[in-house]
Amino acid sequence: MAEARTPAQIEADIDRRRQELAVVLDEIGVRMHPSTIIGDARAKVSSKVDHVAGRACVAANRVVSQVRSGFVSKEGEPRLERIVPVAMVAVGVIGLLVSSSKSGGKAAKATGRRKG
């Protein structure tokens, strides 16, 4: 059977429960405060961005290493048989871009239209 409690015990139990409830309500108030919510959201976004940026950096480093290994021998010597053709293609593409931008400007002047 349950033991009978005295009024003093009941009051002490009620006071203890009130204090526990006050702590819980204070904690809820802190958690639900707009600045706490914003801070938590910022922390999550920042963590996600750092994670994605880190993975992107690792991937970029891997690609650079792979490309570099194609143009440099294991001894560190440049592989001219691979560098020269790539350089020639790059010069050709740049030359085409420059010449097309110059001719585009001339065509716009000939028709009286502004380039833009």
Side-chain angles (χ1 to χ4, degrees):
M1 287 199 143
E3 209 174 290
R5 297 184 333 169
T6 66
Q9 289 173 328
I10 294 172
E11 284 181 23
D13 191 36
I14 290 172
D15 284 342
R16 183 179 50 80
R17 300 270 175 143
R18 274 191 190 136
Q19 289 174 354
E20 289 173 359
L21 238 137
V23 168
V24 168
L25 289 174
D26 286 345
E27 187 175 319
I28 290 172
V30 168
R31 287 183 183 180
M32 297 308 294
H33 195 274
S35 64
T36 303
I37 294 170
I38 290 170
D40 290 347
R42 281 184 181 158
K44 285 180 184 177
V45 168
S46 177
S47 172
K48 191 67 169 177
V49 166
D50 288 347
H51 179 72
V52 170
R55 290 181 64 189
C57 189
V58 168
N61 196 7
R62 187 178 306 126
V63 168
V64 167
S65 294
Q66 288 173 348
V67 169
R68 184 178 183 275
S69 69
F71 292 102
V72 178
S73 68
K74 290 182 181 179
E75 295 81 30
E77 298 292 322
R79 293 182 172 178
L80 294 179
E81 70 277 4
R82 292 187 180 176
I83 294 172
V84 171
V86 171
M88 291 176 68
V89 168
V91 168
V93 168
I94 291 171
L96 286 173
L97 291 173
V98 169
S99 67
S100 69
S101 68
K102 287 183 180 179
S103 66
K106 290 178 184 176
K109 287 180 184 177
T111 60
R113 293 186 183 165
R114 295 178 71 188
K115 194 172 119 179

